[in-house]
Amino acid sequence: MPKIIGESLEEHRVAMRRRVFDALVELLQDRPFDAITMADLAAHAKVGRSSLYNHFKDKEAVVVAFATEETGRYLDQLNESLANQTTPTARLETYVRHHVDTSKDFHIGLGPELRAMLSPESVMAMREHVVAVEQVLRQILIDGAAQGEFAVDDVDAIVSLLHATLSARHASADTTTRFVLAAVSADRD
């Protein structure tokens, strides 16, 4: 009988997933995804391999589940930060600052290199997480254009350009925020 972590099966499931996700993050710091095995994940998480397979069918499932959990956590924090902002400009500034300030906590390099190693199904599942975050930005831009605060003629292009800007890890939150607000401001003349 496998050892249960926690007081209930739900607590066990949550603790098990957290252990595996923490192991994934630690292992990705030392080696590429394709060099990580389920045995590595189990050993690093200090769980049995059969127990790991009871929760995840393969390492792609681990990555997708990790991204799902991290995106949910990211969106919860982002929406909490945005809740008290009343104007699109204040919401955009909050969005940018949140992204820059939390990038070290939420972005562990699940980028193009990893996507190239995943199945089409896993890539689609990972894309859903990006879309969920982009939708928040898209709505801020639409609201800002509607209220005359932003000059946005192609929302999809602006979302892509702003997210490319947000990937500049060396820029401060102040610099990035000024740049983004200047880029979309209706008062650019």
Side-chain angles (χ1 to χ4, degrees):
M1 182 75 132
K3 181 181 173 189
I4 300 295
I5 306 166
E7 299 291 320
S8 67
L9 286 177
E10 180 59 23
E11 283 183 23
H12 169 77
R13 187 186 74 75
V14 169
M16 174 74 166
R17 291 170 69 87
R18 185 77 263 148
R19 279 186 180 186
V20 173
F21 296 158
D22 290 346
L24 175 66
V25 170
E26 290 171 16
L27 288 168
L28 283 172
Q29 291 172 355
D30 296 333
R31 58 186 110 157
F33 179 71
D34 61 342
I36 297 171
T37 66
M38 288 292 274
D40 295 333
L41 282 168
H44 209 78
K46 296 181 178 37
V47 299
R49 278 190 295 172
S50 61
S51 183
L52 179 61
Y53 278 106
N54 286 334
H55 292 267
F56 305 100
K57 71 177 185 167
D58 56 27
K59 67 183 185 178
E60 282 194 23
V62 173
V63 169
V64 171
F66 173 72
T68 299
E69 184 169 298
E70 288 298 282
T71 301
R73 198 166 64 90
Y74 178 85
L75 285 169
D76 287 347
Q77 287 183 13
L78 175 61
N79 287 324
E80 185 178 316
S81 296
L82 291 170
N84 295 325
Q85 304 305 323
T86 57
T87 68
T89 299
R91 290 175 59 78
L92 182 56
E93 180 176 354
T94 299
Y95 181 95
V96 170
R97 287 184 180 283
H98 183 271
H99 188 88
V100 172
D101 292 343
T102 62
S103 64
K104 68 182 178 318
D105 298 327
F106 288 100
H107 304 285
I108 62 160
L110 300 178
E113 299 83 14
L114 177 61
R115 283 193 303 274
M117 295 178 214
L118 298 177
S119 69
E121 295 80 17
S122 293
V123 170
M124 287 296 289
M126 298 291 281
R127 176 70 187 137
E128 290 175 21
H129 304 121
V130 174
V131 169
V133 175
E134 286 178 344
Q135 186 53 39
V136 175
L137 177 58
R138 184 172 279 103
Q139 192 59 54
I140 292 169
L141 294 171
I142 290 168
D143 293 346
Q147 293 178 30
E149 293 181 35
F150 303 151
V152 176
D153 55 348
D154 183 343
V155 173
D156 291 333
I158 299 296
V159 166
S160 293
L161 290 167
L162 293 184
H163 272 241
T165 299
L166 293 174
S167 68
R169 303 273 186 239
H170 62 279
S172 71
D174 289 340
T175 299
T176 306
T177 300
R178 279 193 305 274
F179 181 83
V180 166
L181 291 176
V184 299
S185 173
D187 298 326
R188 288 185 280 193
D189 301 326

